[in-house]
Amino acid sequence: QVQLVESGGGLVQSGGSLRLSCAASGRTFSIYDMGWFRQAPGKERELVAAISWSANSLYYADSVKGRFTISRANAKYTVYLQMNSLKPEDTAVYYCAAGNYGLGSYNYWGQGTQVTVSS
C-alpha cells in the first residue's frame, strides 16, 4: 500500500515556474514507476511525465518536452515535477500516481494539486 500526497501547486504567470512534489508513504515506494498526470476542466486526464523505479527511463508528453522535468529521490520517498516556461494551457489539477508504466497501470493516486497559469 502506498499513500501519495502532492504539494507545490498554485497560481503563476505565464512563463513562470513551479515545482510539484509528491510524498509517498510506505517502504515499497522505490519499486514503483511514478507518473504525473493532469486533468483540465472538460478534458480527459493525460499522462504528462513518468519515471521508472530506477530513474533510468523517462517519458514526457510532447506538450511538455523541454519544459518539464520529472525526478525522484527514493531515499526521501518523493517524486518531483519541475515545470518551467508555464503556459495557460498547462492549467489543470495535477496528480501523481504509482504503478507500472509498461503496463499502463497506476494503482495508487494522490488527491491532486491545482496549477493555474495566468496569461
Side-chain angles (χ1 to χ4, degrees):
Q1 191 80 5
V2 177
Q3 293 181 326
L4 304 172
V5 179
E6 302 97 335
S7 61
L11 174 64
V12 63
Q13 289 188 334
S14 181
S17 297
L18 283 174
R19 188 194 197 200
L20 304 183
S21 298
C22 174
S25 65
R27 299 178 184 177
T28 57
F29 169 77
S30 62
I31 71 172
Y32 290 102
D33 300 333
M34 298 297 296
W36 282 98
F37 291 77
R38 68 185 181 188
Q39 188 166 21
K43 294 188 177 181
E44 293 187 354
R45 185 175 61 195
E46 64 171 335
L47 178 63
V48 174
I51 185 168
S52 64
W53 65 271
S54 64
N56 286 337
S57 296
L58 304 176
Y59 163 84
Y60 294 99
D62 287 342
S63 57
V64 306
K65 280 181 181 176
R67 300 188 298 122
F68 290 12
T69 303
I70 188 171
S71 61
R72 68 189 295 164
N74 286 345
K76 296 182 178 180
Y77 304 112
T78 303
V79 62
Y80 305 96
L81 186 67
Q82 178 66 44
M83 305 186 295
N84 298 328
S85 302
L86 283 162
K87 305 175 181 179
E89 51 263 44
D90 294 319
T91 296
V93 178
Y94 284 72
Y95 301 89
C96 70
N100 187 301
Y101 171 76
L103 296 177
S105 174
Y106 290 86
N107 301 316
Y108 303 103
W109 293 82
Q111 82 289 349
T113 185
Q114 176 70 47
V115 172
T116 303
V117 184
S118 63
S119 57

